[in-house]
Amino acid sequence: LVGVSIVATFVVLAAFLWVRGPSYRSGSFLGIATASAVFAVFSSLLYVVYFSFPHMVWTLAAGDAAMVLAPALLWVAVGALNDRRPWRLWVVIAGGAAMFVCSTLLSETVSSGIKILLLIAGCTLTAVEARIGRARATSGTLAIAATMAGYAIYSVGRAIFLAIDGLYDGIYAQFFSTGPTTIAGVIAVILLAFGVLAAARDERASRRVQQVSTRDRLAARARTILAENGAVSWRVATVDELELIRESFGQEYIDEVNTALVAACTATLAGDAEVGLIGAGRVAMVCPVATPEVAADELRQRFAQSSARLRETYVPDLDVAATRIESDVVLDSVVAHS
């Protein structure tokens, strides 16, 4: 079971190490979280070595240090989402070194007790950090908090039965020894992988990638119309006071505004028109110059009709600007500044 668990954990690590791209946030979060998973893996490997060669006490000490570092590093990683200072990393490294020394010098029972207490502290701190500040609103941090809370409860059980039964007897030996603990740890790492990868996704970056793709599609359509008719109309509908709306109602409301604005522009224009979201609260409409102008009041009315939430909460004002384009050079400039 330990061997299978290690293989499963390496699969999770592959996801950490290989998933990269413009949709994932920059910074230290994903890197430190990956280091956390690496230490979780190596703690299992080092325990396998220790039980295969019992006289190599340093492998037990290294395994204990790695196990303690795993949740502690995740605490540092989640703290990075909340803009915590890097001093935490040095505290965690010092804690791992102290655990190594304790496991080398003290009896296995005493060092195991210290290890379990540090695990409880690391899991609890990570769960709390994941539910405060900016991290609270980050997708995936709820899974991190729930998993860490669950593992902390499991570790509390380990501490209680270690004190009652000792290291090699009773309930502790049956349910909290190295084998079951490794399985529990691997399950926790697998669950955390989903949470970490979800938290690492930068929704703003993902939206920017989609918006750039949309702008390229609209530019291609504009070039086609320009080649066919000698001129093309590039119109942009913009929601006023977008930042004030975001502060008042949140990002979910902005997403609703974007969806409703695209629907309103699509319903207002027909025929050869191409519509797409090119920014938060900004929708571009590409059409022949003969297409009737779009009145802001009419578009706002359709905008309100497109979303019940907007009608019930607040319907912002819209601004519509149209540019007549008769050359590729002008088109490139308009697209670049849209």
Side-chain angles (χ1 to χ4, degrees), residues 221 225 229 231-233 235 272-273 286-292:
R221 178 59 184 158
I225 297 175
N229 302 326
V232 64
S233 179
R235 305 172 185 179
D272 295 332
V286 175
C287 56
V289 291
T291 303

Side-chain angles (χ1 to χ4, degrees), residues 215 234 236 278 282 284 333-338:
R215 188 180 287 111
W234 182 281
V236 178
I278 59 172
R282 288 174 60 81
S333 176
V334 170
V335 171
H337 291 89
S338 292

Side-chain angles (χ1 to χ4, degrees), residues 3-336:
V4 171
S5 300
I6 292 172
V7 172
T9 308
F10 271 114
V11 173
V12 172
L13 283 178
F16 279 119
L17 296 173
W18 289 102
V19 174
R20 292 290 189 275
S23 296
Y24 285 82
R25 65 176 71 251
S26 58
S28 61
F29 171 71
L30 191 55
I32 298 176
T34 302
S36 170
V38 169
F39 276 106
V41 170
F42 278 101
S43 67
S44 298
L45 291 175
L46 289 165
Y47 287 141
V48 170
V49 173
Y50 173 73
F51 287 108
S52 300
F53 307 97
H55 298 294
M56 299 175 64
V57 179
W58 70 269
T59 57
L60 175 65
D64 288 346
M67 179 171 279
V68 166
L69 284 170
L73 284 172
L74 193 56
W75 171 56
V76 176
V78 177
L81 296 180
N82 287 329
D83 295 327
R84 303 298 188 192
R85 297 189 175 219
W87 62 263
R88 289 187 173 194
L89 183 60
W90 297 109
V91 172
V92 167
I93 293 172
M99 186 69 251
F100 182 89
V101 173
C102 289
S103 297
T104 303
L105 301 179
L106 303 177
S107 68
E108 191 174 342
T109 300
V110 175
S111 64
S112 293
I114 296 172
K115 175 183 66 178
I116 293 169
L117 292 176
L118 289 176
L119 283 173
I120 294 171
C123 292
T124 302
L125 288 171
T126 303
V128 171
E129 188 69 46
R131 302 311 300 150
I132 62 175
R134 292 194 307 173
R136 178 182 175 85
T138 305
S139 174
T141 52
L142 179 59
I144 294 173
T147 303
M148 287 287 92
Y151 197 80
I153 293 171
Y154 176 83
S155 297
V156 168
R158 289 186 70 192
I160 292 172
F161 288 104
L162 176 65
I164 295 173
D165 297 324
L167 197 60
Y168 303 106
D169 299 308
I171 293 177
Y172 186 92
Q174 186 174 1
F175 296 105
F176 298 106
S177 60
T178 301
T181 300
T182 301
I183 299 298
V186 167
I187 292 173
V189 171
I190 291 173
L191 293 176
L192 287 170
F194 292 104
V196 167
L197 292 178
R201 283 191 65 86
D202 188 344
E203 296 299 331
R204 292 173 300 175
S206 180
R207 284 192 291 267
R208 285 194 296 270
V209 170
Q210 294 174 357
Q211 290 161 8
V212 169
S213 176
T214 299
R215 188 180 287 111
D216 292 342
R217 172 175 58 83
L218 293 174
R221 178 59 184 158
R223 288 189 180 87
T224 301
I225 297 175
L226 181 62
E228 293 175 350
N229 302 326
V232 64
S233 179
W234 182 281
R235 305 172 185 179
V236 178
T238 307
V239 176
D240 291 339
E241 300 178 336
L242 192 69
E243 290 306 316
L244 181 61
I245 295 171
R246 181 182 279 108
E247 292 177 5
S248 301
F249 303 109
Q251 182 58 44
E252 289 186 0
Y253 192 85
I254 297 297
D255 295 338
E256 185 78 14
V257 165
N258 291 336
T259 302
L261 186 57
V262 171
C265 293
T266 302
T268 302
L269 294 177
D272 295 332
E274 188 86 14
V275 176
L277 184 72
I278 59 172
R282 288 174 60 81
V283 171
M285 299 164 280
V286 175
C287 56
V289 291
T291 303
E293 293 290 337
V294 178
D297 292 340
E298 177 188 356
L299 184 61
R300 186 171 183 269
Q301 184 178 1
R302 290 183 182 273
F303 178 49
Q305 292 172 351
S306 300
S307 170
R309 182 177 180 183
L310 264 63
R311 292 195 304 273
E312 294 170 357
T313 308
Y314 173 68
V315 181
D317 292 328
L318 301 176
D319 178 65
V320 181
T323 303
R324 180 188 174 99
I325 300 172
E326 297 181 345
S327 70
D328 287 329
V329 174
V330 175
L331 175 61
D332 292 339
S333 176
V334 170
V335 171

